Amino acid sequence: MTIRVLVVDDQAMVRAGFAALLDAQSDIDVVGDAPDGRQALEVSGRTHPDVVLMDVRMPGMDGLEAARRLLDPPPGVVHRPRVLMLTTFDVDDYVYEALRAGASGFLLKDAPPADLISAVRVVAAGDALLAPSVTRRLIADFARNRPAPRRDPRLRLNGLTPRETEVLELIARGLSNQEIAAHLVLAEQTVKTHIGRIFAKLDLRDRAQAVVLAYESGLVRPGAQ
C-alpha cells in the first residue's frame, strides 16, 4: 500500500527537499505541501494524507495548532491523518504539547534521510516514533518539570486490569511488543490484544500518548528502573 504524505514547512527549499526524498521511495507518494498550518488543513482536507510531516514553528498558524485541528477534527470530518512533528530543537515544549494532542512522535530536521523515510513508514503503520532513547528522556523530563494537567490522569487508569496496567508501564519504559511478551512470558499476539484494550479504554491513539499518560499519572517515574 502506498503511503500518502503531506509536507508542511514554512521554508520552500525544505519542503522541496523532503518531498523529493520521499517521492523517490516506491511506497511513498507526496500528495501535497503547505507553508503554514492553515494551508495544511486545507490541503489535508482535499488530499487525505496518511501522514503529515508538520514543522513546529511557522508563521500564522503554527504546527501545534494545526496538529490539534487535524487530530481532533470538527463533527462530520472522519479523516484523521497521523502527524509527525519536525523540529530543529531537541527539547521543545511544542513537541510535548503535540504528543498530548495525539501526534505520533517527532523528528529532528537534521536527522539522516534514512531516518526520515523510516519515520514515515513507522508512523503510517500505526506505531509511535518513540524507540530512540532520547525521545523517552524528553518525555520523562516533561513529566518531571512541567505542571500536572488539571484533571488527575491517575483516575483514567482505574479501568485497567492489573495485567493491562503492567503492559502500559512496560510500553512507557520503551519496550517493544516482542520485549513485553518475553518479559511477561506471554504470546506476542496476547500483548497486542492487551495494548488494543488499553488504547480503547484510555482513548489513546498510539504509544506516544500512552507514554505521556503513564508519566503524567505517576505509573512510571522519571529515572526509575
Side-chain angles (χ1 to χ4, degrees):
M1 183 184 72
T2 300
I3 303 168
R4 298 167 59 82
V5 176
L6 169 62
V7 179
V8 185
D9 193 288
D10 60 336
Q11 299 182 49
M13 290 186 67
V14 171
R15 295 199 307 274
F18 284 163
L21 174 66
L22 294 172
D23 254 340
Q25 311 307 309
S26 60
D27 59 335
I28 298 176
D29 180 20
V30 177
V31 296
D33 65 84
D36 57 47
R38 193 169 303 282
Q39 291 190 48
L41 297 178
E42 296 173 0
V43 177
S44 177
R46 294 197 311 268
T47 61
H48 292 180
D50 301 306
V51 176
V52 177
L53 287 180
M54 182 79 74
D55 187 21
V56 172
R57 298 174 183 270
M58 294 180 290
M61 183 186 293
D62 64 16
L64 175 58
E65 180 60 25
R68 284 184 179 133
R69 297 193 186 192
L70 285 172
L71 297 169
D72 187 20
V77 178
V78 296
H79 177 255
R80 288 202 308 173
R82 296 191 178 273
V83 177
L84 178 61
M85 305 301 296
L86 296 167
T87 179
T88 54
F89 304 95
D90 59 354
V91 179
D92 192 321
D93 286 345
Y94 283 101
V95 172
Y96 298 124
E97 292 302 320
L99 289 175
R100 275 180 165 170
S104 295
F106 76 93
L107 191 70
L108 296 179
K109 283 188 178 181
D110 60 359
D115 285 3
L116 174 62
I117 297 167
S118 175
V120 168
R121 290 171 176 155
V122 166
V123 169
D127 293 325
L129 198 66
L130 288 174
S133 61
V134 63
T135 307
R136 294 196 297 275
R137 288 201 304 272
L138 292 174
I139 294 175
D141 175 72
F142 173 56
R144 183 191 301 114
N145 298 321
R146 273 66 175 185
R150 292 189 185 92
R151 295 179 61 188
D152 188 345
R154 290 174 296 182
L155 299 177
R156 294 180 63 186
L157 303 186
N158 290 344
L160 300 183
T161 66
R163 177 63 86 189
E164 289 166 352
T165 302
E166 198 172 11
V167 171
L168 176 59
E169 178 181 351
L170 295 175
I171 290 173
R173 295 193 186 283
L175 274 66
S176 67
N177 289 358
Q178 186 176 15
E179 290 168 336
I180 293 172
H183 184 83
L184 298 178
V185 194
L186 296 172
E188 190 171 347
Q189 185 57 49
T190 301
V191 171
K192 292 179 180 179
T193 299
H194 282 310
I195 292 174
R197 289 173 179 165
I198 291 167
F199 287 2
K201 288 181 177 181
L202 300 180
D203 192 26
L204 303 172
R205 290 197 70 196
D206 54 31
R207 277 173 137 83
Q209 288 188 310
V211 171
V212 170
L213 178 59
Y215 276 109
E216 289 184 338
S217 68
L219 178 64
V220 176
R221 298 189 180 279
Q225 298 297 321

